[in-house]
Amino acid sequence: MAAAAAGLSWRRVSSFTGPVPRSRHGHRAVAIRELVIIFGGGNEGIADELHVYNTVTNQWFLPAVRGDIPPGCAAHGFVCDGTRILVFGGMVEYGRYSNDLYELQASRWLWKKVKPQAPSTGSPPCPRLGHSFSLYGNKCYLFGGLANESEDSNNNVPRYLNDFYELELQHGSGVVGWSIPVTKGILPSPRESHTAIIYCRKDLGSPKMYIFGGMCGCRLNDLWELDIETMTWSRPETKGTVPLPRSLHTANVIGNKMYVFGGWVPQSAGGEISAHDGEWKCTGSFSYLNLDTTEWIGLISDCQEDKSNLLPGPRAGHCAVAVGTRLYIWSGRDGYRKAWNNQVCCKDLWYLDTEKPPAPSQVQLIRATTNSFQVKWDEVPTVEGYLLQLHADSPVPPAAGIPGTGIPETSVLSPQGGSSLRQSSQSLPSVPYPEMKVDHPSQTNNVIPNNVQVSLSSNSLLKVEGKEKVAAPENKITHETMKNHADATGFKESNAPSVLPVCTSSPQTSANVGELHDLDKQTVNPDASVSSTVSSTQTMVTQQAVKTESSSTNGAVVKDETSLTTFNSKSEAAETAYVMPSTRVNSGQTNDSHSSKTPQRPMAPVKARDRQWYDVGIFKNNSAVVSQFYLLPEETLNISNKMESADVPDYRLLKKQDLFPGTVYRFRVAAINGCGVGPFSKISEFKTCIPGFPGAPSTVKITKSVDCIHLSWEPPASPSGNILEYSAYLAIRSTQLQENPSQLVFMRIYCGLKTSCIVTAAQLSNAHVDYTSRPAIVFRISAKNERGYGPATQVRWLQDMKTSSSK
């Protein structure tokens, strides 16, 4: 099969929730992060609903739109700019076309009819359908389409167009007006139902628009290029086999490739270009144009018949949209049956992963115990699971290797309990911390109230958009000298409250770290599970996060009874990505809607230094509680440096090894999609705790008043004895921050037995506002028992720009 030869692995989404839209053709789709938004089209009437499909949760929903709701339309222009969508033209009823322009603010599901200024030279675009409408920067480019020359909508006199317009947008909302650019070169011939995409090479910075195919009485397969900077039209020379003439196909850019799927093509495949009255059929052919080399590559041929239902069937007038590097295709018509005198529309939804997923961020530590880690990593869009591995140093026996007067080594966050701290002589080597960025939400089934929205950033574990907040780890830290006694984090403490410089020498922190918005009352519950989402059929799209349905899996260690597909991982090389053409990861607890295939993972070359990587498991979500890992068979550990072709191991047949206290473990994670296992992340190192120290305080609350804030918390869930005192710290401005902004400096603002304290306006005036992510003031709170201080809870109190600029 051509698809198999090309390494394609299409997935049909076979089950989903929510109100599924009726099948149709002539509709359009765009993507806002993981949401696919579909509008218009027709099948026994023109559809006027706005449908949204969440690609993470496989849920359809109908948002409650308001404002100037447009009439239903088909074969219209539909583009997305951030979280706003523009709709132009299309057929509103048979024979009657539109030239109206509507804007949808998806953050509020608010429609607005906009009236752009007419061009200074010439007339505004006439009503039309089948045109292309493409966005680049703050401008939309309109080309071609089909107009009706007759004023009587029942007497359709078609006129093919090749006019070209530019629409300037205002920032955020609204438009300026139409203009008619002066172009050079020969304009493409008139046409409708063509495609247009815009691509800009990374090394050449000049954006180009590519128009392919369409209909002008006969179907076309010509390719046109417009240099947007010079406004010059040309016909690029191409290599490879040009796809057959077609219309009503789709074209989408992913990376440097333009993927072309489906459409109407000549009935006689490989024959001469048909005349006006030739026979035509729908096709399921699939090709791409390498936009850097202008070479066509055929992936599924026009004559290929797929009787195995492993490929999308032939169709035209469908929609296709790229979500990350994944291509989704939905509905469309599969032919015109004259005997029935109606369109037959497909009802299926398919997707194709076009590339292996990128490496996830480094594994981040949320919490360490004596024999487990709670970890997370940034979500990678459009993946089916994650392979988590660890590398174990020689374990330290639980009752040995801890000198009575020495400083216990640990990766947990220091309590910042004294005037000065010193770094343990045994502290772990520094690992670069990932850069902060706002990313996609993760999923779990507990912790966050159902009215809260959640988003994740790479080194803030949780940002919760709501009244109750759960929070995230900041930077890796060890500290300077503490003089009197050792605590759980390996540092000594003196009596005097003080300023604490923070070094970046231990890999990650096991502090429970939170991020709070500047609201009147806020809560951090660091003892809760790491990730959460919210079920809602009225989900809003925001600039920070797109939140919808939650999943019922919490990313725990893969258990024997789960249906997660597992992979062989015999001593793989850290930097080698695996080839796995047919990877599927199914969670028995989640509504996985795709057909399952048996995975194969040919082994990468084994390197001696990588022979101790062990599988923790494969996880549906981007978090895990790690208390065990799988031991490899002895013969696997003794293999020579060669390619392995062993069968995929069954985890149920492998022995499990528990984690040891006081032991260093290295972690790496790779994402999995339909193309296989991607590259591994950078390596992180964490250490299990020494028994006997208190856990981190939980449920941090901040109550804001006029001249101070009230900080409160709950005692640790595992105090390991009597709590003697708590310490709370505030990150303050310091000259050391100017020299090294990543080294926060903390001042103790409270020490005592109470589980609350007041932070005065004078103290807050000295606070450092951390801009590594969203502006925030940073607090840390830790508990002390007879053995010393345990790990701290870190809270990032989010500030708005006015608040942060006044600090």
Side-chain angles (χ1 to χ4, degrees), residues 751-791:
C751 181
L753 268 172
K754 290 184 178 180
T755 56
S756 64
C757 68
I758 298 294
V759 185
T760 65
Q763 290 171 323
L764 288 173
S765 66
N766 195 34
H768 165 67
V769 178
D770 179 31
Y771 285 91
T772 52
S773 180
R774 299 171 65 186
I777 293 173
V778 182
F779 296 97
R780 287 176 181 159
I781 306 163
S782 60
K784 177 185 176 183
N785 66 7
E786 291 86 349
R787 294 202 61 181
Y789 272 96

mmCIF file of all heavy atoms in Angstrom, residues 751-791:
data_model
loop_
_atom_site.group_PDB
_atom_site.id
_atom_site.type_symbol
_atom_site.label_atom_id
_atom_site.label_comp_id
_atom_site.label_asym_id
_atom_site.label_seq_id
_atom_site.Cartn_x
_atom_site.Cartn_y
_atom_site.Cartn_z
ATOM 1 N N CYS A 751 8.444 33.561 61.431
ATOM 2 C CA CYS A 751 8.912 32.316 62.032
ATOM 3 C C CYS A 751 8.094 32.100 63.293
ATOM 4 O O CYS A 751 8.088 32.950 64.188
ATOM 5 C CB CYS A 751 10.406 32.383 62.357
ATOM 6 S SG CYS A 751 11.050 30.845 63.080
ATOM 7 N N GLY A 752 7.360 30.988 63.368
ATOM 8 C CA GLY A 752 6.539 30.729 64.535
ATOM 9 C C GLY A 752 5.681 29.504 64.361
ATOM 10 O O GLY A 752 5.751 28.802 63.346
ATOM 11 N N LEU A 753 4.844 29.249 65.370
ATOM 12 C CA LEU A 753 4.014 28.058 65.373
ATOM 13 C C LEU A 753 2.697 28.240 64.638
ATOM 14 O O LEU A 753 2.063 27.271 64.235
ATOM 15 C CB LEU A 753 3.718 27.638 66.815
ATOM 16 C CG LEU A 753 4.693 26.635 67.440
ATOM 17 C CD1 LEU A 753 4.392 26.453 68.915
ATOM 18 C CD2 LEU A 753 4.602 25.295 66.706
ATOM 19 N N LYS A 754 2.248 29.491 64.469
ATOM 20 C CA LYS A 754 0.971 29.737 63.803
ATOM 21 C C LYS A 754 1.063 29.361 62.325
ATOM 22 O O LYS A 754 2.133 29.427 61.720
ATOM 23 C CB LYS A 754 0.576 31.207 63.947
ATOM 24 C CG LYS A 754 0.187 31.613 65.354
ATOM 25 C CD LYS A 754 -0.291 33.063 65.363
ATOM 26 C CE LYS A 754 -0.724 33.475 66.767
ATOM 27 N NZ LYS A 754 -1.189 34.889 66.803
ATOM 28 N N THR A 755 -0.093 29.016 61.774
ATOM 29 C CA THR A 755 -0.146 28.675 60.336
ATOM 30 C C THR A 755 -0.659 29.852 59.521
ATOM 31 O O THR A 755 -1.383 29.682 58.544
ATOM 32 C CB THR A 755 -1.045 27.445 60.114
ATOM 33 O OG1 THR A 755 -2.339 27.730 60.667
ATOM 34 C CG2 THR A 755 -0.459 26.217 60.762
ATOM 35 N N SER A 756 -0.289 31.049 59.918
ATOM 36 C CA SER A 756 -0.655 32.252 59.169
ATOM 37 C C SER A 756 0.270 33.380 59.567
ATOM 38 O O SER A 756 0.915 33.334 60.619
ATOM 39 C CB SER A 756 -2.114 32.652 59.432
ATOM 40 O OG SER A 756 -2.277 33.010 60.790
ATOM 41 N N CYS A 757 0.327 34.385 58.711
ATOM 42 C CA CYS A 757 1.120 35.574 59.033
ATOM 43 C C CYS A 757 0.613 36.750 58.208
ATOM 44 O O CYS A 757 -0.093 36.580 57.213
ATOM 45 C CB CYS A 757 2.607 35.344 58.786
ATOM 46 S SG CYS A 757 3.059 35.146 57.046
ATOM 47 N N ILE A 758 0.980 37.932 58.643
ATOM 48 C CA ILE A 758 0.650 39.166 57.935
ATOM 49 C C ILE A 758 1.893 39.633 57.178
ATOM 50 O O ILE A 758 2.993 39.666 57.729
ATOM 51 C CB ILE A 758 0.203 40.271 58.919
ATOM 52 C CG1 ILE A 758 -1.073 39.837 59.657
ATOM 53 C CG2 ILE A 758 -0.019 41.585 58.179
ATOM 54 C CD1 ILE A 758 -2.283 39.699 58.778
ATOM 55 N N VAL A 759 1.705 39.983 55.910
ATOM 56 C CA VAL A 759 2.786 40.585 55.119
ATOM 57 C C VAL A 759 2.420 42.049 54.928
ATOM 58 O O VAL A 759 1.400 42.371 54.306
ATOM 59 C CB VAL A 759 2.938 39.872 53.758
ATOM 60 C CG1 VAL A 759 4.148 40.428 53.008
ATOM 61 C CG2 VAL A 759 3.066 38.360 53.939
ATOM 62 N N THR A 760 3.230 42.931 55.500
ATOM 63 C CA THR A 760 2.889 44.354 55.517
ATOM 64 C C THR A 760 3.196 45.014 54.185
ATOM 65 O O THR A 760 3.942 44.495 53.359
ATOM 66 C CB THR A 760 3.674 45.071 56.619
ATOM 67 O OG1 THR A 760 5.080 45.013 56.291
ATOM 68 C CG2 THR A 760 3.454 44.407 57.979
ATOM 69 N N ALA A 761 2.623 46.202 54.028
ATOM 70 C CA ALA A 761 2.880 46.976 52.811
ATOM 71 C C ALA A 761 4.356 47.334 52.706
ATOM 72 O O ALA A 761 4.922 47.377 51.607
ATOM 73 C CB ALA A 761 2.019 48.240 52.810
ATOM 74 N N ALA A 762 5.002 47.605 53.858
ATOM 75 C CA ALA A 762 6.430 47.923 53.837
ATOM 76 C C ALA A 762 7.236 46.735 53.314
ATOM 77 O O ALA A 762 8.180 46.893 52.526
ATOM 78 C CB ALA A 762 6.891 48.310 55.237
ATOM 79 N N GLN A 763 6.883 45.526 53.760
ATOM 80 C CA GLN A 763 7.579 44.345 53.256
ATOM 81 C C GLN A 763 7.307 44.127 51.758
ATOM 82 O O GLN A 763 8.221 43.837 50.982
ATOM 83 C CB GLN A 763 7.139 43.115 54.056
ATOM 84 C CG GLN A 763 7.642 43.115 55.497
ATOM 85 C CD GLN A 763 7.022 42.004 56.311
ATOM 86 O OE1 GLN A 763 5.846 41.668 56.146
ATOM 87 N NE2 GLN A 763 7.806 41.431 57.227
ATOM 88 N N LEU A 764 6.058 44.312 51.365
ATOM 89 C CA LEU A 764 5.711 44.120 49.960
ATOM 90 C C LEU A 764 6.384 45.145 49.056
ATOM 91 O O LEU A 764 6.659 44.870 47.882
ATOM 92 C CB LEU A 764 4.191 44.187 49.780
ATOM 93 C CG LEU A 764 3.404 42.989 50.311
ATOM 94 C CD1 LEU A 764 1.900 43.259 50.231
ATOM 95 C CD2 LEU A 764 3.752 41.732 49.531
ATOM 96 N N SER A 765 6.649 46.340 49.602
ATOM 97 C CA SER A 765 7.296 47.371 48.781
ATOM 98 C C SER A 765 8.715 46.970 48.390
ATOM 99 O O SER A 765 9.276 47.493 47.426
ATOM 100 C CB SER A 765 7.327 48.702 49.533
ATOM 101 O OG SER A 765 8.176 48.602 50.673
ATOM 102 N N ASN A 766 9.285 46.022 49.146
ATOM 103 C CA ASN A 766 10.636 45.557 48.861
ATOM 104 C C ASN A 766 10.641 44.256 48.051
ATOM 105 O O ASN A 766 11.694 43.679 47.792
ATOM 106 C CB ASN A 766 11.397 45.343 50.186
ATOM 107 C CG ASN A 766 12.889 45.224 49.974
ATOM 108 O OD1 ASN A 766 13.458 45.867 49.084
ATOM 109 N ND2 ASN A 766 13.538 44.390 50.778
ATOM 110 N N ALA A 767 9.440 43.803 47.671
ATOM 111 C CA ALA A 767 9.329 42.508 46.983
ATOM 112 C C ALA A 767 9.895 42.584 45.566
ATOM 113 O O ALA A 767 9.755 43.591 44.866
ATOM 114 C CB ALA A 767 7.881 42.057 46.939
ATOM 115 N N HIS A 768 10.529 41.504 45.199
ATOM 116 C CA HIS A 768 10.976 41.344 43.814
ATOM 117 C C HIS A 768 9.815 40.783 42.992
ATOM 118 O O HIS A 768 9.158 39.828 43.400
ATOM 119 C CB HIS A 768 12.155 40.374 43.762
ATOM 120 C CG HIS A 768 12.466 39.874 42.391
ATOM 121 N ND1 HIS A 768 12.958 40.689 41.382
ATOM 122 C CD2 HIS A 768 12.333 38.631 41.845
ATOM 123 C CE1 HIS A 768 13.135 39.973 40.295
ATOM 124 N NE2 HIS A 768 12.762 38.715 40.541
ATOM 125 N N VAL A 769 9.541 41.419 41.847
ATOM 126 C CA VAL A 769 8.520 40.899 40.930
ATOM 127 C C VAL A 769 9.224 40.067 39.876
ATOM 128 O O VAL A 769 10.051 40.574 39.115
ATOM 129 C CB VAL A 769 7.706 42.041 40.287
ATOM 130 C CG1 VAL A 769 6.684 41.465 39.315
ATOM 131 C CG2 VAL A 769 7.005 42.855 41.370
ATOM 132 N N ASP A 770 8.907 38.815 39.878
ATOM 133 C CA ASP A 770 9.562 37.857 38.981
ATOM 134 C C ASP A 770 8.854 37.863 37.633
ATOM 135 O O ASP A 770 7.654 37.613 37.549
ATOM 136 C CB ASP A 770 9.502 36.468 39.609
ATOM 137 C CG ASP A 770 10.144 35.424 38.719
ATOM 138 O OD1 ASP A 770 11.076 35.782 37.991
ATOM 139 O OD2 ASP A 770 9.700 34.261 38.755
ATOM 140 N N TYR A 771 9.602 38.150 36.564
ATOM 141 C CA TYR A 771 9.039 38.235 35.222
ATOM 142 C C TYR A 771 9.421 37.034 34.358
ATOM 143 O O TYR A 771 9.252 37.085 33.148
ATOM 144 C CB TYR A 771 9.513 39.511 34.521
ATOM 145 C CG TYR A 771 8.833 40.761 35.009
ATOM 146 C CD1 TYR A 771 9.370 41.500 36.060
ATOM 147 C CD2 TYR A 771 7.647 41.205 34.431
ATOM 148 C CE1 TYR A 771 8.754 42.652 36.518
ATOM 149 C CE2 TYR A 771 7.023 42.359 34.873
ATOM 150 C CZ TYR A 771 7.572 43.080 35.914
ATOM 151 O OH TYR A 771 6.955 44.225 36.354
ATOM 152 N N THR A 772 9.959 35.983 34.977
ATOM 153 C CA THR A 772 10.364 34.845 34.144
ATOM 154 C C THR A 772 9.166 34.201 33.461
ATOM 155 O O THR A 772 9.306 33.577 32.417
ATOM 156 C CB THR A 772 11.090 33.781 34.984
ATOM 157 O OG1 THR A 772 10.286 33.455 36.114
ATOM 158 C CG2 THR A 772 12.439 34.293 35.438
ATOM 159 N N SER A 773 7.998 34.338 34.053
ATOM 160 C CA SER A 773 6.761 33.926 33.401
ATOM 161 C C SER A 773 5.867 35.154 33.453
ATOM 162 O O SER A 773 6.295 36.240 33.113
ATOM 163 C CB SER A 773 6.149 32.717 34.113
ATOM 164 O OG SER A 773 4.962 32.331 33.489
ATOM 165 N N ARG A 774 4.660 35.022 33.938
ATOM 166 C CA ARG A 774 3.833 36.201 34.155
ATOM 167 C C ARG A 774 4.295 36.883 35.442
ATOM 168 O O ARG A 774 4.775 36.226 36.359
ATOM 169 C CB ARG A 774 2.371 35.776 34.233
ATOM 170 C CG ARG A 774 1.911 35.124 32.938
ATOM 171 C CD ARG A 774 0.545 34.495 33.070
ATOM 172 N NE ARG A 774 -0.471 35.507 33.303
ATOM 173 C CZ ARG A 774 -1.738 35.236 33.570
ATOM 174 N NH1 ARG A 774 -2.130 33.987 33.652
ATOM 175 N NH2 ARG A 774 -2.615 36.206 33.769
ATOM 176 N N PRO A 775 4.182 38.207 35.530
ATOM 177 C CA PRO A 775 4.697 38.923 36.703
ATOM 178 C C PRO A 775 4.116 38.360 38.000
ATOM 179 O O PRO A 775 2.901 38.170 38.108
ATOM 180 C CB PRO A 775 4.241 40.363 36.469
ATOM 181 C CG PRO A 775 4.045 40.463 34.988
ATOM 182 C CD PRO A 775 3.584 39.120 34.541
ATOM 183 N N ALA A 776 4.983 38.078 38.966
ATOM 184 C CA ALA A 776 4.523 37.458 40.205
ATOM 185 C C ALA A 776 5.462 37.797 41.348
ATOM 186 O O ALA A 776 6.662 37.983 41.163
ATOM 187 C CB ALA A 776 4.423 35.940 40.046
ATOM 188 N N ILE A 777 4.893 37.866 42.564
ATOM 189 C CA ILE A 777 5.650 37.958 43.807
ATOM 190 C C ILE A 777 5.757 36.543 44.368
ATOM 191 O O ILE A 777 4.776 35.791 44.370
ATOM 192 C CB ILE A 777 4.952 38.906 44.794
ATOM 193 C CG1 ILE A 777 4.998 40.350 44.258
ATOM 194 C CG2 ILE A 777 5.586 38.837 46.177
ATOM 195 C CD1 ILE A 777 4.193 41.344 45.075
ATOM 196 N N VAL A 778 6.944 36.172 44.824
ATOM 197 C CA VAL A 778 7.212 34.780 45.192
ATOM 198 C C VAL A 778 7.332 34.650 46.714
ATOM 199 O O VAL A 778 8.092 35.381 47.357
ATOM 200 C CB VAL A 778 8.503 34.276 44.511
ATOM 201 C CG1 VAL A 778 8.753 32.809 44.848
ATOM 202 C CG2 VAL A 778 8.411 34.465 42.995
ATOM 203 N N PHE A 779 6.565 33.695 47.280
ATOM 204 C CA PHE A 779 6.645 33.340 48.693
ATOM 205 C C PHE A 779 7.082 31.885 48.825
ATOM 206 O O PHE A 779 6.822 31.066 47.933
ATOM 207 C CB PHE A 779 5.283 33.487 49.387
ATOM 208 C CG PHE A 779 4.769 34.889 49.434
ATOM 209 C CD1 PHE A 779 3.863 35.341 48.489
ATOM 210 C CD2 PHE A 779 5.163 35.757 50.437
ATOM 211 C CE1 PHE A 779 3.363 36.630 48.534
ATOM 212 C CE2 PHE A 779 4.673 37.049 50.497
ATOM 213 C CZ PHE A 779 3.774 37.498 49.535
ATOM 214 N N ARG A 780 7.708 31.550 49.956
ATOM 215 C CA ARG A 780 8.011 30.162 50.279
ATOM 216 C C ARG A 780 7.684 29.917 51.747
ATOM 217 O O ARG A 780 7.935 30.774 52.602
ATOM 218 C CB ARG A 780 9.481 29.832 50.008
ATOM 219 C CG ARG A 780 9.784 29.732 48.531
ATOM 220 C CD ARG A 780 11.241 29.505 48.270
ATOM 221 N NE ARG A 780 11.500 29.425 46.830
ATOM 222 C CZ ARG A 780 12.671 29.622 46.267
ATOM 223 N NH1 ARG A 780 13.718 29.911 47.024
ATOM 224 N NH2 ARG A 780 12.823 29.527 44.979
ATOM 225 N N ILE A 781 7.118 28.733 52.015
ATOM 226 C CA ILE A 781 6.713 28.377 53.375
ATOM 227 C C ILE A 781 7.169 26.947 53.629
ATOM 228 O O ILE A 781 6.973 26.066 52.782
ATOM 229 C CB ILE A 781 5.180 28.475 53.536
ATOM 230 C CG1 ILE A 781 4.684 29.860 53.116
ATOM 231 C CG2 ILE A 781 4.770 28.170 54.975
ATOM 232 C CD1 ILE A 781 3.202 29.907 52.845
ATOM 233 N N SER A 782 7.777 26.703 54.790
ATOM 234 C CA SER A 782 8.217 25.353 55.120
ATOM 235 C C SER A 782 7.983 25.084 56.604
ATOM 236 O O SER A 782 7.803 26.008 57.400
ATOM 237 C CB SER A 782 9.698 25.162 54.774
ATOM 238 O OG SER A 782 10.496 26.081 55.486
ATOM 239 N N ALA A 783 7.974 23.787 56.933
ATOM 240 C CA ALA A 783 7.715 23.356 58.306
ATOM 241 C C ALA A 783 8.952 22.666 58.879
ATOM 242 O O ALA A 783 9.738 22.060 58.144
ATOM 243 C CB ALA A 783 6.520 22.406 58.335
ATOM 244 N N LYS A 784 9.088 22.747 60.214
ATOM 245 C CA LYS A 784 10.233 22.151 60.898
ATOM 246 C C LYS A 784 9.735 21.208 61.996
ATOM 247 O O LYS A 784 8.815 21.542 62.752
ATOM 248 C CB LYS A 784 11.095 23.261 61.510
ATOM 249 C CG LYS A 784 12.299 22.767 62.310
ATOM 250 C CD LYS A 784 12.999 23.956 62.953
ATOM 251 C CE LYS A 784 14.151 23.510 63.848
ATOM 252 N NZ LYS A 784 14.783 24.653 64.535
ATOM 253 N N ASN A 785 10.344 20.029 62.054
ATOM 254 C CA ASN A 785 10.080 19.123 63.181
ATOM 255 C C ASN A 785 11.385 18.872 63.939
ATOM 256 O O ASN A 785 12.370 19.598 63.754
ATOM 257 C CB ASN A 785 9.413 17.828 62.711
ATOM 258 C CG ASN A 785 10.321 16.982 61.828
ATOM 259 O OD1 ASN A 785 11.506 17.280 61.663
ATOM 260 N ND2 ASN A 785 9.766 15.932 61.254
ATOM 261 N N GLU A 786 11.425 17.811 64.747
ATOM 262 C CA GLU A 786 12.611 17.559 65.564
ATOM 263 C C GLU A 786 13.870 17.328 64.729
ATOM 264 O O GLU A 786 14.985 17.620 65.173
ATOM 265 C CB GLU A 786 12.385 16.330 66.467
ATOM 266 C CG GLU A 786 11.359 16.540 67.562
ATOM 267 C CD GLU A 786 9.936 16.273 67.090
ATOM 268 O OE1 GLU A 786 9.737 16.128 65.866
ATOM 269 O OE2 GLU A 786 9.033 16.209 67.947
ATOM 270 N N ARG A 787 13.701 16.828 63.514
ATOM 271 C CA ARG A 787 14.866 16.544 62.672
ATOM 272 C C ARG A 787 15.292 17.736 61.835
ATOM 273 O O ARG A 787 16.394 17.763 61.317
ATOM 274 C CB ARG A 787 14.574 15.358 61.754
ATOM 275 C CG ARG A 787 14.386 14.044 62.514
ATOM 276 C CD ARG A 787 14.628 12.862 61.635
ATOM 277 N NE ARG A 787 15.988 12.820 61.111
ATOM 278 C CZ ARG A 787 16.442 11.859 60.280
ATOM 279 N NH1 ARG A 787 15.628 10.890 59.898
ATOM 280 N NH2 ARG A 787 17.684 11.885 59.838
ATOM 281 N N GLY A 788 14.406 18.710 61.658
ATOM 282 C CA GLY A 788 14.775 19.871 60.865
ATOM 283 C C GLY A 788 13.668 20.281 59.917
ATOM 284 O O GLY A 788 12.526 19.815 60.023
ATOM 285 N N TYR A 789 14.013 21.157 58.997
ATOM 286 C CA TYR A 789 13.051 21.675 58.036
ATOM 287 C C TYR A 789 12.870 20.698 56.878
ATOM 288 O O TYR A 789 13.836 20.100 56.387
ATOM 289 C CB TYR A 789 13.513 23.016 57.485
ATOM 290 C CG TYR A 789 13.066 24.188 58.319
ATOM 291 C CD1 TYR A 789 13.902 24.737 59.277
ATOM 292 C CD2 TYR A 789 11.799 24.724 58.148
ATOM 293 C CE1 TYR A 789 13.497 25.812 60.061
ATOM 294 C CE2 TYR A 789 11.375 25.799 58.921
ATOM 295 C CZ TYR A 789 12.219 26.342 59.861
ATOM 296 O OH TYR A 789 11.795 27.399 60.631
ATOM 297 N N GLY A 790 11.632 20.565 56.447
ATOM 298 C CA GLY A 790 11.307 19.767 55.271
ATOM 299 C C GLY A 790 11.192 20.639 54.031
ATOM 300 O O GLY A 790 11.546 21.820 54.052
ATOM 301 N N PRO A 791 10.700 20.077 52.940
ATOM 302 C CA PRO A 791 10.574 20.835 51.698
ATOM 303 C C PRO A 791 9.573 21.975 51.838
ATOM 304 O O PRO A 791 8.642 21.902 52.640
ATOM 305 C CB PRO A 791 10.086 19.791 50.691
ATOM 306 C CG PRO A 791 9.453 18.729 51.518
ATOM 307 C CD PRO A 791 10.227 18.681 52.787
#
